[in-house]
């Protein structure tokens, strides 16, 4: 992945758990790493791109801190204008959602969690493809590298699932956690399914009575308490989200807020 570049030249990097002291309370498995997003403004003050992914997020499930410094370090040709942070809700929303809507209701702090993704690098989603094309159309004129970040494809996860699940198992063992949170369908389909017949969130229940319950599942001869939950996009209503899963997650959060 070191040969892949974001617009304006930042290399794609792996985003993994860096605080690796053992004895974590919970292991969280998401889908793929996010990115730092900048607003690209031309020299006439017009917005060329509202949110352009220009660097790998600095830590897994990043919450948007130091975004101004990160973007300021990326130099672009003077003729192309400038980069400034995108709207606040576009940098770190999944990390904020994880802390507030997943870990906090269960009584966990970030420092008690080991975080992991099926794909430990960022990917280009459909909303970014048009912005990347705009950049690539002019990059060569200014001696800039083409943006080559791969598009997100579930097929890529499927093709690498067997090897990747051993890597995730290694992280799970190192974490020492006995509780696992799975974020959405894909961690169920491409990790848990190696140990359990279910392949999607709805198979664990899609009602107030069944959503977000703990399930004892044996993984590599160890029984873990597994909590399948929706993707942070749904819980925090980010972009195109599922109203059904958002409302179920709201109810789940409210249950913990009410207390015994």
């Amino acid at each position: 992945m070191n040969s892949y570049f974001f617009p304006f030249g930042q290399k794609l990097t792996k985003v993994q758990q860096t605080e690796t002291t053992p004895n974590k309370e919970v292991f969280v498995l998401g889908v793929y790493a996010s990115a730092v997003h900048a607003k690209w403004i031309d020299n006439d003050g017009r917005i060329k791109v509202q949110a352009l992914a220009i660097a790998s997020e600095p830590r897994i499930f990043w919450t948007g801190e130091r975004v101004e410094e990160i973007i300021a370090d990326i130099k672009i040709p003077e003729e192309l204008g400038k980069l400034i942070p995108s709207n606040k809700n576009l940098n770190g929303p999944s990390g904020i959602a994880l802390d507030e809507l997943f870990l906090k209701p269960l009584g966990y702090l970030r420092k008690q969690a080991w975080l992991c993704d099926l794909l430990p690098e960022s990917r280009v989603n459909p909303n970014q493809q048009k912005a990347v094309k705009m950049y690539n159309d002019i990059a060569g004129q200014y001696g800039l590298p083409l943006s080559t970040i791969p598009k997100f494809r579930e097929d890529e996860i499927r093709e690498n699932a067997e090897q990747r699940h051993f890597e995730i198992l290694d992280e799970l063992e190192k974490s020492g956690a006995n509780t696992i949170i799975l974020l959405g369908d894909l961690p169920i389909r491409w990790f848990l399914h190696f140990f359990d017949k279910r392949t999607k969130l709805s198979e664990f229940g899609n009602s107030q009575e069944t959503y977000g319950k703990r399930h004892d599942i044996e993984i590599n001869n160890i029984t873990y308490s597994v909590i399948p939950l929706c993707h942070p996009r749904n819980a925090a209503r980010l972009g195109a989200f599922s109203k059904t899963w958002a409302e179920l997650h709201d109810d789940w959060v409210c249950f913990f807020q009410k207390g015994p």
Side-chain angles (χ1 to χ4, degrees), residues 63 106 172 222:
T63 56
L106 291 167
L172 176 59
I222 298 174

Side-chain angles (χ1 to χ4, degrees), residues 3 11 39-40 62-63 66 69 73 92 96 128 130 132 134 142-143 189 191 204-206 211 221 239 260:
S3 61
K11 283 187 177 181
K39 187 180 294 185
W40 180 8
W62 175 57
T63 56
R66 295 184 52 252
E69 297 172 41
D73 284 342
I96 294 170
Q128 280 291 308
K130 183 177 178 181
V132 168
M134 180 186 298
Y142 297 92
R189 186 175 303 139
F191 174 71
F204 287 90
N206 54 5
Y211 175 78
N221 300 315

Side-chain angles (χ1 to χ4, degrees), residues 119 155-165:
L119 293 175
D155 280 352
E156 180 186 2
I157 298 178
R158 176 182 57 78
E159 290 159 7
N160 295 293
E162 188 166 346
Q163 175 186 337
R164 181 65 181 140
H165 105 272

Side-chain angles (χ1 to χ4, degrees), residues 134-150:
M134 180 186 298
Y135 166 83
N136 281 344
D137 285 346
I138 64 170
Q141 302 172 38
Y142 297 92
L144 295 166
L146 292 177
S147 177
T148 52
I149 307 300

Side-chain angles (χ1 to χ4, degrees), residues 27-210:
F27 185 90
V28 180
L29 183 61
V31 181
Y32 64 91
S34 189
V36 179
H37 290 83
K39 187 180 294 185
W40 180 8
I41 300 175
D42 69 18
N43 286 323
D44 294 322
R46 294 173 298 198
I47 297 173
K48 292 180 70 67
V49 180
Q50 282 279 3
L52 181 66
I54 43 82
S56 295
E57 60 181 345
R59 65 169 178 146
I60 191 167
F61 283 96
W62 175 57
T63 56
E65 68 275 8
R66 295 184 52 252
V67 63
E68 294 88 356
E69 297 172 41
I70 295 168
I71 292 174
D73 284 342
I74 298 173
K75 308 304 179 187
I76 75 172
E78 188 175 335
E79 306 94 312
L80 294 181
K82 62 181 179 180
L83 301 175
I84 64 172
S86 290
N87 296 342
K88 191 174 181 180
N89 65 333
L90 295 174
N91 281 306
S94 291
I96 294 170
L98 177 70
D99 289 347
E100 295 298 319
L101 301 177
F102 293 82
L103 296 179
K104 186 176 179 180
L106 291 167
Y108 299 125
L109 300 173
R110 170 76 70 113
K111 66 182 180 181
Q112 296 173 293
W114 185 297
L115 310 180
C116 185
D117 281 313
L118 291 172
L119 293 175
E121 305 94 5
S122 183
R123 292 293 186 271
V124 174
N125 64 35
N127 292 334
Q128 280 291 308
Q129 290 174 22
K130 183 177 178 181
V132 168
K133 183 179 185 305
M134 180 186 298
Y135 166 83
N136 281 344
D137 285 346
I138 64 170
Q141 302 172 38
Y142 297 92
L144 295 166
L146 292 177
S147 177
T148 52
I149 307 300
K151 297 177 184 178
F152 173 69
R153 298 184 300 111
E154 185 175 347
D155 280 352
E156 180 186 2
I157 298 178
R158 176 182 57 78
E159 290 159 7
N160 295 293
E162 188 166 346
Q163 175 186 337
R164 181 65 181 140
H165 105 272
F166 285 115
E167 296 170 350
I168 294 169
L169 281 175
D170 183 57
E171 289 195 49
L172 176 59
E173 182 179 346
K174 287 177 180 176
S175 76
N178 55 24
T179 295
I180 301 172
I181 295 174
L182 301 175
L183 301 178
D185 286 340
L186 297 187
I188 295 169
R189 186 175 303 139
W190 300 116
F191 174 71
L192 189 69
H193 187 56
F194 284 95
F195 314 98
D196 185 272
K197 65 181 180 180
R198 288 163 286 200
T199 61
K200 56 186 178 181
L201 182 57
S202 60
E203 291 174 358
F204 287 90
N206 54 5
S207 67
Q208 286 186 21
E209 293 73 28
T210 56

